[in-house]
Amino acid sequence: MITNALLNRIKFLLLGCCVLVSFSALADAPVRIGVLAYRPKPQTLEQWQALSKVLHQAIPEREFIVEALNYDELEAGVDSSQLDFVLTNPGHYVHISYQHGFSAPLATLLRHEDGGSQDKFGGVIFAKAERLDINALGDLRGKKIAATSQDSLGGFQMQAYEAAQAGIDIVKASQLVITGMPHDAVTEAVLSGHADIGFVRTGVLEDLAKNGKLDLRQIKILNVQPSSEFKLLSTALYPEWPFLAMPNVDRALAKKVAGCLLLMSPDLIPGIEGFTIPADYNSVEQLLRNVRAKPFDAVPSFTLTDIWQRYPTPILALSAGVMLVVLLSLSLFWVNRYLAAERRRVREQNIRLADSEYRWKFALEGADEGVWDWDIISGEVFFSPRWKSMVGYQPEEFANNFDAWRDSLHPDDTDRVLQTLSDYFDGKNKLYWVEFRMRCKDGRYKWILAKGMVVAHTPEGKPQRMLGTHVDIDKHKQIEQELRQSHDALLRSNVDLEQFAYSVSHDMRQPLRMVSGHLQFLERNLRESLDEDARQNLNFALEGAKRMDAMIVSLLEYSRVGRKTQQKSWIASDAVRDEVLQFVEPLATQCQANIRCQGDWPILYASRDELSRLLQNLLVNALHYRQEYQAPIIDVNSEVIDGCWRLSVRDNGIGIDPRQFDRLFQFFSRLQARTRFEGTGMGLALCRRIIEHHNGKIWVDSAGEGLGSCFTFEIPLGYTPATDSQPT
């Protein structure tokens, strides 16, 4: 037994050693990075080999290996978990992400294009310049089209989406020539005549021309898109390639790699500017859905059982609705038969009771409510059974005279009701119409709407007989009161909410200053003792504190509009203009801007500092979001239209995608990456707030990115030129 116990201990120790050796080997295993080779593999490998050196220098305890792979090889490496990190095109990323459930990318690629960095790319459609029969998207029908793969975002799917927008299904309307990677093969197929048209991603043709492999005069571009980033472009732009970690990668390693990528110096990798924070790839996913590309190419099949399991409640509701319609139809049929019989009976009664014609005719006009018939001379009144039951009486319980009705009125309403009746008799009102409270049998008061008209006069022309109705509006009055209370509560809530937003944004700055100050103290005193990761995290914290302070200041300014700003008064708009121009003059001089003001500058009733801030924000935006290497030209036009002041600020800046207009005036809305343009995204939201405070409206016009923008607002002048003289 001792021997067996000793053997078991020895086996346990050997097993532990094996496990330790396995973990050690796993920790020392090289990190494999798969890069999609859309250019020749040797060229791709040569380009990205520098990435392994950069990562090894930042993380010396690990070895990094870069592999250039085509689509099939890259997917095989992901499926078999042979790769740790992947750099691929966005369409391929969406495909494999749906297959394996990847999280968001670590970073997005920044390419070096025409002297600048680009975090977007597009597709190019080209043909030989000598082909006179190919000039537009419509000419793609029936042609041979060369592409690397139908899974290539920039080399097929972007172009297929543009063609679909023009009503062309590329797969059905054309003959595809699949060349495989790299994109150079597509160019060779077109130039050799094996294909009529080629699809490649942006940058490929320029690179071939740069290396002397292509004369750009040999080709022409179809469906040319205006762009300041790319000279050769046929499609919309989409986010650049994502760099992502496989699910099995250690989080600490992924974090270090992400930090190294984001802090990597430019030009360490040929043609690559570096990496930036992960982009939003929803636009890519939407494109793939529209062209029904992987992983959205399969059409789901539905059976009646699936429909029932998925929508049991709507089906039951629909069935109940159908049954209800059938029952209502049958009920309506019997009601119609009953009404027809009743109409015959009424016609017979009308013949026998000619004296009551006015009474019942008016009852029908009064929506069949309680009817009263007043003999004004004698004071006797006929009150219908419905009239009496409305206030809780049986037919014999309420006296049929005017005095009984008057005595049942609420004391606070009596004088007003009698005055309304007198005004009607005097001809001041065309119809007797009044609301009042009437005492019921149980002592409570109910709101009544009384309507009536004189149907007979004495020979002297005085009112003799009057018909009318009573309508129970007690519930309507209760609802009206509840709505009024809700409205008042909502107004109070809005005031409290604005005060709360002001207090929170104001009071949060003090602790934030303390956080920022202590972080700066730590940076000064511990700079030399911190390692690279700690310094990097400290810098991130400082930047976050500064950005949060800027956002709080923006919220504070937003909450002050209409509350902490100057009261509205008569001001000269040209004086506000001159003040704002003086404020922005240093920035305008710095960027060599030309600001041209023209038009009619009126006097209006407004808050001076709010109006100044509004114009200042619009001018600073026009100066800030300018084209690189291009001096801003800003036209400010003022005019008076239909009692409103309309001002527009037009620039030649970076422009706006019309699909993004709805996001412009929202809280903290940014359309540009923070690495490209600084800001909190609250400037235009503040403009909208100021315009709303002045009962105006603001909007934007732009033909697209790179084509400039025009912001326009209108606010009332505060007087009507046709009736009032303009204040001086």
Side-chain angles (χ1 to χ4, degrees), residues 568 644 689-697 714-716:
K568 293 181 180 179
C644 290
R689 172 76 167 175
I690 293 173
I691 290 296
E692 290 174 349
H693 181 227
H694 288 79
N695 300 320
K697 57 183 179 179
E714 284 185 358
I715 57 176

Side-chain angles (χ1 to χ4, degrees), residues 474-510:
D474 197 63
K475 291 184 178 180
H476 296 283
K477 282 292 184 178
Q478 292 177 8
I479 295 174
E480 181 179 312
Q481 179 66 20
E482 291 172 359
L483 289 176
R484 186 180 297 109
Q485 293 174 354
S486 298
H487 179 264
D488 295 339
L490 182 60
L491 290 178
R492 291 192 300 270
S493 176
N494 285 340
V495 172
D496 294 341
L497 187 59
E498 290 180 358
Q499 180 62 36
F500 174 77
Y502 173 78
S503 300
V504 169
S505 58
H506 181 273
D507 296 341
M508 283 176 62
R509 296 195 68 198
Q510 179 59 32

Side-chain angles (χ1 to χ4, degrees), residues 188-296:
E188 294 172 4
V190 173
L191 295 180
S192 65
H194 288 90
D196 304 308
I197 298 169
F199 291 171
V200 295
R201 66 159 281 159
T202 51
V204 172
L205 298 177
E206 295 92 329
D207 193 33
L208 290 172
K210 181 179 178 180
N211 295 327
K213 298 180 180 180
L214 173 66
D215 186 352
L216 294 179
R217 291 174 296 182
Q218 295 179 270
I219 61 172
K220 58 182 174 182
I221 307 302
L222 279 63
N223 196 42
V224 176
Q225 300 294 314
S227 173
S228 60
E229 293 89 355
F230 298 98
K231 296 179 180 178
L232 307 182
L233 180 65
S234 302
T235 71
L237 295 176
Y238 296 86
E240 262 292 356
W241 287 23
F243 190 98
L244 56 146
M246 299 297 100
N248 59 321
V249 174
D250 179 70
R251 294 183 62 184
L253 175 61
K255 180 180 179 182
K256 291 181 180 180
V257 170
C260 180
L261 294 177
L262 295 176
L263 297 176
M264 187 172 65
S265 301
D267 298 327
L268 291 178
I269 301 173
I272 303 302
E273 189 75 14
F275 289 85
T276 185
I277 58 176
D280 182 2
Y281 291 93
N282 285 331
S283 60
V284 178
E285 180 176 336
Q286 189 61 42
L287 181 149
L288 297 179
R289 290 183 183 274
N290 288 332
V291 300
R292 300 196 68 82
K294 294 179 180 179
F296 310 110

Side-chain angles (χ1 to χ4, degrees), residues 13-29:
L13 291 174
L14 290 175
L15 179 60
C17 292
C18 292
V19 171
L20 291 175
V21 170
S22 299
F23 277 113
S24 176
L26 182 61
D28 295 335

Side-chain angles (χ1 to χ4, degrees), residues 317-445:
L318 180 61
S319 302
V322 172
M323 292 297 297
L324 181 61
V325 170
V326 172
L327 293 175
L328 288 176
S329 299
L330 294 174
S331 176
L332 183 61
F333 172 76
W334 290 108
V335 169
N336 284 335
R337 291 190 61 181
Y338 172 79
L339 290 177
E342 283 295 304
R343 283 195 294 269
R344 288 193 298 270
R345 186 176 63 84
V346 170
R347 283 197 300 267
E348 294 172 357
Q349 288 181 347
N350 285 339
I351 295 173
R352 294 191 304 266
L353 303 173
D355 186 61
S356 61
E357 177 182 357
Y358 288 111
R359 182 182 307 161
W360 298 115
K361 181 178 180 181
F362 192 85
L364 293 174
E365 294 175 352
D368 199 25
E369 298 292 340
V371 178
W372 49 270
D373 187 347
W374 179 24
D375 187 330
I376 302 174
I377 303 301
S378 67
E380 294 182 357
V381 185
F382 167 80
F383 299 116
S384 70
R386 175 73 184 106
W387 188 100
K388 293 183 179 181
S389 66
M390 193 180 299
V391 287
Y393 289 95
Q394 296 296 326
E396 68 277 6
E397 292 180 341
F398 193 90
N400 295 320
N401 57 68
F402 177 82
D403 293 337
W405 170 80
R406 181 187 57 196
D407 293 340
S408 67
L409 297 178
H410 193 285
D412 295 339
D413 298 339
T414 302
D415 292 339
R416 175 175 56 83
V417 173
L418 295 179
Q419 184 61 46
T420 301
L421 184 61
S422 176
D423 291 342
Y424 172 68
F425 286 163
D426 294 338
K428 296 180 180 179
N429 299 324
K430 294 183 179 181
L431 184 67
Y432 172 67
W433 184 297
V434 64
E435 296 178 355
F436 54 86
R437 286 163 290 180
M438 187 172 179
R439 186 176 64 252
C440 299
K441 181 181 178 180
D442 58 5
R444 68 185 182 89
Y445 284 88

Side-chain angles (χ1 to χ4, degrees), residues 473-574:
I473 60 171
D474 197 63
K475 291 184 178 180
H476 296 283
K477 282 292 184 178
Q478 292 177 8
I479 295 174
E480 181 179 312
Q481 179 66 20
E482 291 172 359
L483 289 176
R484 186 180 297 109
Q485 293 174 354
S486 298
H487 179 264
D488 295 339
L490 182 60
L491 290 178
R492 291 192 300 270
S493 176
N494 285 340
V495 172
D496 294 341
L497 187 59
E498 290 180 358
Q499 180 62 36
F500 174 77
Y502 173 78
S503 300
V504 169
S505 58
H506 181 273
D507 296 341
M508 283 176 62
R509 296 195 68 198
Q510 179 59 32
L512 187 59
R513 290 193 193 99
M514 294 176 61
V515 172
S516 180
H518 284 295
L519 288 173
Q520 292 174 357
F521 175 79
L522 290 174
E523 182 183 33
R524 288 194 303 268
N525 290 273
L526 302 178
R527 178 184 298 273
E528 301 302 326
S529 62
L530 296 177
D531 59 16
E532 183 62 26
D533 284 347
R535 285 195 295 272
Q536 178 183 342
N537 291 330
L538 185 59
N539 290 333
F540 285 161
L542 279 170
E543 290 298 322
K546 293 178 182 178
R547 191 176 305 121
M548 182 178 292
D549 184 66
M551 293 169 70
I552 292 175
V553 171
S554 298
L555 280 175
L556 190 60
E557 293 178 349
Y558 186 88
S559 66
R560 284 176 171 171
V561 173
R563 299 174 59 256
K564 299 294 183 179
T565 53
Q566 292 179 353
Q567 296 296 321
K568 293 181 180 179
S569 62
W570 293 107
I571 60 174
S573 58
D574 55 353

Side-chain angles (χ1 to χ4, degrees), residues 64-75:
F64 294 85
I65 298 177
V66 175
E67 299 182 8
L69 307 171
N70 57 30
Y71 283 104
D72 294 336
E73 294 169 342
L74 192 60
E75 290 186 10

